[in-house]
Amino acid sequence: MKNSLITVVLLIITISGLAQNTSTFRGKVIEDKSLRPVGFVNINLVNNTDGTSTDALGRFSISVNQQDIIELSCLGYSNMKINLDTVDLSTEVLIKLSKSVTELEEVVIGRKGYENPAWEIIRLAMANADDHNYKKAKDLNYQSKILTHIYIADLDSNNLEQRLVNKAMDRMEAISKLETDDKGMPIIPIYASHSEQNIHYNGLSEDRDITSYKESFLGPDFEDQFKQGLDTEKTTINFYQHWLRFLNYDFVSPLNPTFKNYFDFELVTYEKVDEDWCYRINYIPRRANDMTFGGTVWITDDVKGFAVKKITANISRESPINFIDSITVDQKLAPLDTSQVWAPYNQRIRMWVGGKLNENWSKFLVDIKTENTFESTQKIHFSDADTTIFAMIDTVKQMPSVKATSKVIDMVATGYYRMGGFGFGSLLALYAQNNIEDHHIQVGGTTNTQWFKNFVAGGYLAYGTKDEEWKWGISGKYVFNEEKWTYLYARAQHSLQRLGAGITYPGQPPYLWFQQLWGNYSYPYYLDEYKIIGSSYVAEGIQLRGQFTYKDENYFTGSTTDSLIFDHIRTAEVGGSIIFDFGKRYVASRHLNRYVAANGKYPTITLSYNRGLPDVLNVTDSYHKVTASMQHRFKIGAIGRMDYVVSGGWTPSTVPFPLLFVHRGNNLRYIYDGSAYNLMDFGEFMSDKYASLRVFHHFEGLFMNRIPLVKKWNVKTFVVGNLLWGGVSDENLERNVNPWDENTSSFGSLDPSTPYVEVGGGIENIFRMVKVMFIYRATYQTNESRKYGVMFALTPEF
């Protein structure tokens, strides 16, 4: 009986012990100030001999019961006890240890020895940036889906009572309920674009295959300019870059080596984002007027190599960006497969535009969502709901008042009055006045891609009341391959020209017509020209171009040309160019002209050779010409942004001076021309060999943002310099001797030992769009030349 009782008691004790649930206690130990993992911490069960220790990364795992108490101890840290009945053992636990007071007293002596604990994390992220930066990948394929919506927002009751707004809202509400802002007011969509694209990045540039694109705009139809230009820029903002290129500005990244000059950092906590432990760090701009974002960055610990896991970035209305009230960026990144490269898979950019100009104006809300997927088997598509916004915009576009407003905006922006697939103009060339024609009257126009997607044509007819001469011109362009930009262009014309101004032709931008047609002509001539150009990219960033030009130039005597020893020049020229523009992105207009949408990190280099053929088509002269140029825009740290163009040319031939290199002047006294020597007259200087350097350096807010009473105006300083070295051989001087004075030439040339120099500076961003500059001509000053100039340029920029 006694043995049976003992057996029962032992059985009860055993069952009771088994009834106590044993769990695995997992977690990580970090320091409470720096949030860095603490390795080799002793973890013991109180009243038990069981225990373990953390590994080098602060991780541990131990079998426990819910009723146990554990004690943590480590040299240099205060001991800690934890009652496990207060802990959720089903999740990984984060434990913070404090350094002991004695240790702190030995190491830290006042504030002098203090370093912000966030700085070390930022440095480690920068040290590992090359491993994680997806732009460092050599072969990356992924899919991208981009949704861009623009709304009229921040409306009030007065706006909603306007008849046009009310009618537009009614039409949209008939399709679907409008979204509302934080105040419950409706926001009205005016633009939407959705795109899907397959992207291959080769470490230098991106090759984009747009598989799906749809766009609608409650305004002028810009023929997919957003598709070709803006969307490729909106895919991602790469925070691993030291300077972030966005809205044509260079913003300081929180991962910039000089981060302490721009930001204050705060290490907030150590927490899990998805499945990764991350340091959460706030970064705050030290000066509101600097080109900086502020926000929060989550950086993984050393298990994942201190990679950027998530980042938010914000810009407030105190920033120096024009028109922008605020910007918010939210981005999440993930590693690609098993590699160390982390790429953004989700991004959203929201911008409030317009309120900075006038707080009472309605703002525009620009909402850009990007989704990237890096799995080749996964496809991304739009949902049916995504197409609702297009139906809303398209129904409002049919309202007569909206159509009329769009037409006016389009006419002001392009200089043409568009009637469907045809644009009448240029409007600035309809009438002009000059000393040769007296009254110049011109009509013409160009087609656009609405009629033919890959073909445009243009022409004009003009008449001068004084010279009683009819002028005309026609041109056409056909693009065979948009991806490689393979095209053929041809033009023919009989026109009045002036030497040194650049040749006018059909489809030329309106302001160039305006500059050419007005004023007094020096070296005037009638031009009969026939030209054909073919061009194509033969590889990524390498473009080949060839051309043939026949010109018959008939010069005539005027008040400034009585020293000419010729009156007729006829040439037949063939030429070829190779252009290197790696990483550069372009946008094509509806007239099939291309404009730079984004500059690459490498300069654009152009090498050209032209040969004036002898003994064909009754030519009067033959020649050789070689030219080269290099241009680039780049950031110089905190000093600002520089644009430069270096160029040179040489002709070994002996020719009439109009066939030399005629350096371009500017006859618009107060309007700055970035491609000309602004204090040089048309046809003032020519060379058979030359080298030039043009520099335009923007200091941005470097100086003005430091002056308390001035920084609120948001103006910026810049300097500009144009230098030209040139000369003419003795043979060309003798060929062009003045018939009335054999000791002088019949044209102006430069002394090879003395460059032509224009220098100056000024203030930009006045009223958000005006540049005012003072230009000084430092050399070749004569009684007739302009030595000083106060000039203006209208350049609206964000």
Side-chain angles (χ1 to χ4, degrees):
M1 182 67 181
K2 181 178 179 180
N3 291 337
S4 299
L5 181 61
I6 292 172
T7 302
V8 171
V9 171
L10 291 174
L11 182 60
I12 292 172
I13 292 173
T14 303
I15 293 172
S16 177
L18 292 173
Q20 297 183 22
N21 293 327
T22 300
S23 302
T24 300
F25 181 33
R26 294 173 291 105
K28 193 165 188 175
V29 180
I30 64 173
E31 183 189 329
D32 64 344
K33 298 297 184 183
S34 69
L35 305 186
R36 295 300 307 278
V38 182
F40 313 109
V41 177
N42 295 316
I43 302 175
N44 297 307
L45 296 176
V46 177
N47 301 323
N48 195 320
T49 59
D50 291 343
T52 187
S53 63
T54 62
D55 61 16
L57 300 178
R59 297 173 299 191
F60 69 88
S61 176
I62 184 173
S63 295
V64 297
N65 294 318
Q66 191 75 51
Q67 291 78 23
D68 285 337
I69 299 174
I70 66 168
E71 182 176 14
L72 293 84
S73 62
C74 184
L75 182 63
Y77 292 87
S78 300
N79 291 356
M80 175 185 288
K81 289 184 178 181
I82 300 175
N83 294 316
L84 295 185
D85 58 2
T86 64
V87 176
D88 182 3
L89 298 180
S90 64
T91 61
E92 188 175 359
V93 177
L94 184 67
I95 302 173
K96 297 181 180 180
L97 283 185
S98 300
K99 282 194 173 182
S100 64
V101 175
T102 303
E103 183 75 11
L104 287 172
E105 289 175 349
E106 292 175 354
V107 176
V108 180
I109 306 175
R111 291 287 298 173
K112 188 175 181 180
Y114 171 80
E115 178 173 272
N116 188 330
W119 293 351
E120 182 181 2
I121 308 300
I122 296 296
R123 291 193 194 101
L124 289 167
M126 289 191 294
N128 291 273
D130 285 351
D131 293 332
H132 303 313
N133 185 358
Y134 81 102
K135 285 295 186 180
K136 298 292 184 179
K138 300 301 181 185
D139 190 21
L140 177 61
N141 294 282
Y142 63 100
Q143 291 182 308
S144 182
K145 172 176 125 176
I146 306 172
L147 286 73
T148 302
H149 297 170
I150 301 178
Y151 304 86
I152 297 178
D154 203 29
L155 297 171
D156 57 27
S157 56
N158 292 330
N159 299 128
L160 299 180
E161 291 172 0
Q162 294 180 13
R163 183 178 178 184
L164 178 59
V165 175
N166 209 286
K167 290 181 65 177
M169 287 179 56
D170 287 344
R171 290 198 176 196
M172 290 182 174
E173 291 274 8
I175 297 172
S176 180
K177 183 71 175 176
L178 288 170
E179 295 184 48
T180 57
D181 59 18
D182 295 338
K183 296 180 292 187
M185 302 299 288
I187 56 177
I188 303 175
I190 60 170
Y191 171 81
S193 71
H194 294 177
S195 68
E196 294 177 359
Q197 42 205 315
N198 296 320
I199 302 171
H200 173 66
Y201 180 71
N202 60 14
L204 181 64
S205 60
E206 290 181 343
D207 181 20
R208 293 172 177 266
D209 177 21
I210 299 178
T211 58
S212 173
Y213 189 84
K214 187 172 184 179
E215 178 183 72
S216 187
F217 184 30
L218 197 59
D221 187 359
F222 291 111
E223 303 295 338
D224 288 354
Q225 288 195 50
F226 291 95
K227 166 187 173 182
Q228 299 181 52
L230 297 180
D231 265 349
T232 58
E233 291 301 292
K234 293 180 301 195
T235 305
T236 53
I237 297 177
N238 185 8
F239 286 92
Y240 279 111
Q241 291 177 283
H242 296 162
W243 297 93
L244 311 172
R245 193 71 179 162
F246 186 65
L247 293 178
N248 210 33
Y249 281 103
D250 295 291
F251 293 89
V252 186
S253 169
L255 300 183
N256 189 293
T258 60
F259 61 87
K260 288 188 285 186
N261 295 332
Y262 294 96
F263 301 100
D264 290 322
F265 290 86
E266 178 189 8
L267 183 56
V268 180
T269 188
Y270 183 71
E271 62 188 12
K272 259 193 170 182
V273 179
D274 298 331
E275 296 301 318
D276 297 315
W277 283 102
C278 298
Y279 298 100
R280 178 179 174 180
I281 300 173
N282 291 340
Y283 57 99
I284 304 98
R286 303 188 69 180
R287 291 171 295 272
N289 286 73
D290 279 349
M291 298 301 295
T292 55
F293 287 94
T296 304
V297 59
W298 285 261
I299 297 175
T300 63
D301 59 17
D302 41 3
V303 174
K304 293 294 182 70
F306 300 98
V308 175
K309 172 73 175 180
K310 178 182 175 182
I311 190 166
T312 64
N314 309 289
I315 293 177
S316 66
R317 69 178 294 120
E318 286 75 25
S319 73
I321 310 176
N322 297 332
F323 314 118
I324 301 290
D325 233 19
S326 62
I327 302 174
T328 62
V329 180
D330 292 282
Q331 187 180 100
K332 291 183 178 180
L333 300 92
L336 304 181
D337 302 323
T338 58
S339 69
Q340 297 185 67
V341 175
W342 287 61
Y345 68 88
N346 188 283
Q347 177 178 267
R348 186 173 189 178
I349 302 173
R350 290 169 67 90
M351 296 184 290
W352 294 88
V353 183
K356 186 177 283 190
L357 295 177
N358 188 319
E359 292 188 12
N360 296 323
W361 288 6
S362 296
K363 302 185 185 77
F364 295 95
L365 170 59
V366 182
D367 192 4
I368 306 167
K369 299 178 185 178
T370 304
E371 296 178 18
N372 297 326
T373 179
F374 301 92
E375 299 178 15
S376 58
T377 58
Q378 184 179 356
K379 301 294 182 182
I380 51 179
H381 295 287
F382 301 125
S383 65
D384 293 338
D386 291 333
T387 62
T388 303
I389 190 171
F390 292 103
M392 288 181 169
I393 294 173
D394 291 340
T395 189
V396 174
K397 284 178 68 172
Q398 305 308 314
M399 297 171 59
S401 54
V402 172
K403 285 184 176 180
T405 303
S406 297
K407 190 173 289 291
V408 171
I409 295 173
D410 183 77
M411 185 173 62
V412 172
T414 65
Y416 288 84
Y417 180 80
R418 188 155 68 108
M419 300 168 286
F422 180 79
F424 176 77
S426 146
L427 301 179
L428 290 179
L430 294 179
Y431 175 80
Q433 200 168 25
N434 57 68
N435 64 319
I436 302 299
E437 297 175 296
D438 195 8
H439 301 287
H440 172 94
I441 301 169
Q442 179 174 312
V443 294
T446 63
T447 68
N448 58 60
T449 53
Q450 181 174 329
W451 283 350
F452 303 101
K453 180 181 179 181
N454 295 327
F455 175 73
V456 295
Y460 73 90
L461 183 66
Y463 183 76
T465 59
K466 182 178 179 180
D467 65 347
E468 299 182 344
E469 182 83 10
W470 286 96
K471 296 91 178 174
W472 57 268
I474 56 173
S475 67
K477 186 174 188 178
Y478 185 82
V479 177
F480 296 91
N481 185 303
E482 292 184 30
E483 182 180 354
K484 295 184 177 181
W485 201 243
T486 303
Y487 70 84
L488 191 66
Y489 168 82
R491 73 171 183 246
Q493 63 178 321
H494 172 73
S495 59
L496 174 67
Q497 305 287 339
R498 65 170 93 190
L499 194 62
I503 295 175
T504 50
Y505 51 84
Q508 194 175 35
Y511 74 92
L512 294 177
W513 279 108
F514 183 80
Q515 185 181 35
Q516 171 77 285
L517 294 175
W518 290 80
N520 292 324
Y521 277 53
S522 57
Y523 302 117
Y525 63 97
Y526 291 117
L527 170 68
D528 290 289
E529 180 194 46
Y530 302 90
K531 189 181 192 74
I532 186 168
I533 300 174
S535 181
S536 180
Y537 279 91
V538 294
E540 181 68 32
I542 302 177
Q543 185 178 8
L544 294 182
R545 184 175 297 167
Q547 65 181 41
F548 172 79
T549 307
Y550 174 83
K551 290 195 294 187
D552 193 344
E553 303 173 7
N554 291 276
Y555 290 83
F556 51 93
T557 301
S559 59
T560 61
T561 58
D562 58 355
S563 62
L564 292 177
I565 60 172
F566 55 84
D567 59 8
H568 193 79
I569 297 175
R570 186 183 297 116
T571 59
E573 178 185 285
V574 294
S577 302
I578 181 169
I579 303 167
F580 303 94
D581 59 355
F582 298 105
K584 213 162 192 176
R585 295 174 184 165
Y586 298 89
V587 53
S589 73
R590 61 170 173 252
H591 297 116
L592 295 181
N593 296 318
R594 290 210 308 170
Y595 306 97
V596 177
N599 287 284
K601 60 182 178 180
Y602 300 105
T604 297
I605 298 174
T606 303
L607 305 174
S608 301
Y609 169 74
N610 295 80
R611 168 62 165 153
L613 300 174
D615 305 323
V616 296
L617 302 175
N618 295 319
V619 299
T620 60
D621 297 274
S622 64
Y623 51 86
H624 303 268
K625 282 187 177 181
V626 178
T627 58
S629 70
M630 179 172 67
Q631 58 183 345
H632 193 36
R633 165 179 287 182
F634 63 96
K635 181 74 177 176
I636 312 178
I639 299 175
R641 169 172 52 89
M642 177 177 289
D643 298 276
Y644 74 86
V645 179
V646 179
S647 62
W650 175 59
T651 175
S653 306
T654 303
V655 291
F657 68 79
L659 297 181
L660 301 175
F661 297 105
V662 183
H663 305 299
R664 186 179 175 189
N666 181 7
N667 73 329
L668 301 178
R669 194 170 187 85
Y670 299 106
I671 305 300
Y672 181 78
D673 184 348
S675 63
Y677 299 96
N678 284 273
L679 298 181
M680 183 187 293
D681 292 329
F682 285 151
E684 184 176 355
F685 293 113
M686 297 151 215
S687 305
D688 56 22
K689 51 184 174 298
Y690 79 93
S692 73
L693 171 65
R694 302 176 184 275
V695 176
F696 201 118
H697 184 81
H698 309 260
F699 287 107
E700 296 177 340
L702 181 63
F703 301 119
M704 293 300 188
N705 285 357
R706 271 66 175 176
I707 304 175
L709 296 179
V710 176
K711 65 180 183 180
K712 65 180 181 180
W713 298 338
N714 199 20
V715 295
K716 304 164 188 176
T717 55
F718 64 86
V719 293
V720 61
N722 293 325
L723 289 81
L724 172 66
W725 293 264
V728 179
S729 65
D730 291 338
E731 292 79 7
N732 272 314
L733 290 174
E734 293 175 3
R735 170 72 184 268
N736 293 279
V737 68
N738 188 334
W740 309 106
D741 183 356
E742 295 183 356
N743 295 319
T744 63
S745 176
S746 58
F747 66 96
S749 62
L750 297 168
D751 182 344
S753 64
T754 305
Y756 174 88
V757 178
E758 289 179 353
V759 292
I763 297 175
E764 59 184 338
N765 207 38
I766 300 172
F767 304 120
R768 309 297 198 266
M769 60 182 67
V770 178
K771 287 182 173 69
V772 178
M773 65 191 75
F774 174 80
I775 306 291
Y776 173 63
R777 175 168 166 166
T779 57
Y780 295 96
Q781 296 180 354
T782 65
N783 293 332
E784 296 78 18
S785 65
R786 290 181 291 162
K787 302 178 183 62
Y788 308 95
V790 177
M791 311 193 82
F792 301 85
L794 187 66
T795 53
E797 296 177 348
F798 280 107

